Amino acid sequence: MFILHNLTIISLLFIGLFIEKRWKLSKYYISPALAGGMIAMIVSGILYYFYSYTFIPNEWVVCFFVTAFLFSIGMKMGLTYQKKHIKHLFYLFGFSTFILAIIELIAMILFKNNSFLLQVYNSQTFSWNEEWIFRIQNWFSGSLVFQFHFSLIIVFILTPVVIRLMRNFQFSEMKPYKTKDFHSWKLNAVMILFLVTIFALFLKNMYLDETLFIFDFVISMVIGFVLGRRLKTRDSSQVDQWISSVLSAGTLSLYGFIISMIFISSVHVWTGWSWNIVGLYSIKLILFTLLWIWVSRRWVKNHQKLVLISACWAFTLSAPVTCMNAMHSVVRRHGPADQVLLLIPPVILWLINYPHYWLLAFLYN
């Protein structure tokens, strides 16, 4: 089943890449992953409504893609690491924690006596993984599953439109960025990525399964960082090709992760539709979107800031995977933004889980 589900996601990924290249969707901030994911959502809806069949990708497929992606991020961090990055990481971590605390406190003040509204408007959708759901579900009276998945789907769908509204610099001021085709990879580089991913999955599930928020992708990211530091001292065309192969494979892994999550979320949305949650969440969506567009119109002057502000918008409404999609949509349109793109994943995918969990535990447990 793992191989079949993997092939399904990879097929959707390459369909998304073809569609994005054929119709130049990147200029509309539509990533290949979003294009492939929308096809997955339509297919899942047809299967459910016409054939009463649901297809959900295996959780190991999702874990494999995100773990492989974080290995490439860790390696890129190791290659570009400077002492100032620690300071920037600390600032981003503090800012993210501050946002969580403010939203949670506002929700507590406004909806303290209404558990259903509190559940819809608080910050528990800011993290998404099975371990997170397992640990916090008992603190809330209603199921969190539909709200998590609906927030993912709606933020994915709205990402191209919202980014376009956030952009506050003229087309002539942009530096056109031509997306490089995925070139021929070096086989040994791809094999290293594959083996590290398998090792991280094995280590997590065999020895670290009960350790709080030490995910398999955290293990692979640390390994990637160490490897990147070692490779930084070497300078040759062979090493550059090896690094490019890993980074390209990591980007494809991110796309596979996004498509997998859209596929899973669409099934939960089709099968668990709730008008109450949809209506209430839509109010939250409109308010936060207008707020971030207002901030963006006054602050964003280049695409690096657009990457950051689009991630902030997605972060305050849904899980980290939507942030990654929003950031990569901007990068594919306007060019690299490594200072932002390399700092956000370790914070929103991993570190923020700790203060977020302790905050919710303090308030609800």
Side-chain angles (χ1 to χ4, degrees), residues 286-298:
I286 293 170
L287 292 175
F288 275 98
T289 300
L290 291 175
L291 172 63
W292 284 114
I293 290 175
W294 179 80
V295 172
S296 178
R297 288 283 177 171
R298 283 155 179 75

Side-chain angles (χ1 to χ4, degrees), residues 57-85:
N58 189 290
E59 65 173 305
W60 288 100
V61 174
V62 181
C63 292
F64 181 87
F65 282 126
V66 68
T67 304
F69 165 62
L70 264 296
F71 171 72
S72 68
I73 287 293
M75 193 181 74
K76 188 67 178 290
M77 290 172 62
L79 289 167
T80 60
Y81 171 77
Q82 299 177 17
K83 289 184 178 180
K84 65 178 182 179
H85 290 156

Side-chain angles (χ1 to χ4, degrees), residues 296-339:
S296 178
R297 288 283 177 171
R298 283 155 179 75
W299 183 67
V300 171
K301 302 300 180 184
N302 54 57
H303 80 276
Q304 287 92 347
K305 290 183 177 180
L306 184 60
V307 171
L308 179 60
I309 209 73
S310 63
C312 290
W313 167 75
F315 174 71
T316 53
L317 286 169
S318 188
V321 62
T322 58
C323 299
M324 302 311 301
N325 175 68
M327 291 190 297
H328 273 266
S329 297
V330 178
V331 166
R332 286 184 70 87
R333 179 66 182 89
H334 299 305
D338 289 345
Q339 291 295 326

Side-chain angles (χ1 to χ4, degrees), residues 254-360:
L254 171 63
Y255 294 161
F257 174 47
I258 292 171
I259 292 173
S260 301
M261 289 305 302
I262 294 177
F263 214 140
I264 293 171
S265 294
S266 62
V267 172
H268 284 283
V269 168
W270 298 135
T271 58
W273 189 266
S274 170
W275 282 110
N276 286 337
I277 292 179
V278 169
L280 291 169
Y281 183 82
S282 297
I283 298 173
K284 176 181 178 180
L285 175 68
I286 293 170
L287 292 175
F288 275 98
T289 300
L290 291 175
L291 172 63
W292 284 114
I293 290 175
W294 179 80
V295 172
S296 178
R297 288 283 177 171
R298 283 155 179 75
W299 183 67
V300 171
K301 302 300 180 184
N302 54 57
H303 80 276
Q304 287 92 347
K305 290 183 177 180
L306 184 60
V307 171
L308 179 60
I309 209 73
S310 63
C312 290
W313 167 75
F315 174 71
T316 53
L317 286 169
S318 188
V321 62
T322 58
C323 299
M324 302 311 301
N325 175 68
M327 291 190 297
H328 273 266
S329 297
V330 178
V331 166
R332 286 184 70 87
R333 179 66 182 89
H334 299 305
D338 289 345
Q339 291 295 326
V340 178
L341 204 60
L342 295 178
L343 292 176
I344 289 181
V347 172
I348 66 171
L349 286 169
W350 175 38
L351 294 174
I352 197 63
N353 285 282
Y354 292 102
H356 193 188
Y357 177 76
W358 294 327
L359 175 64
L360 293 183

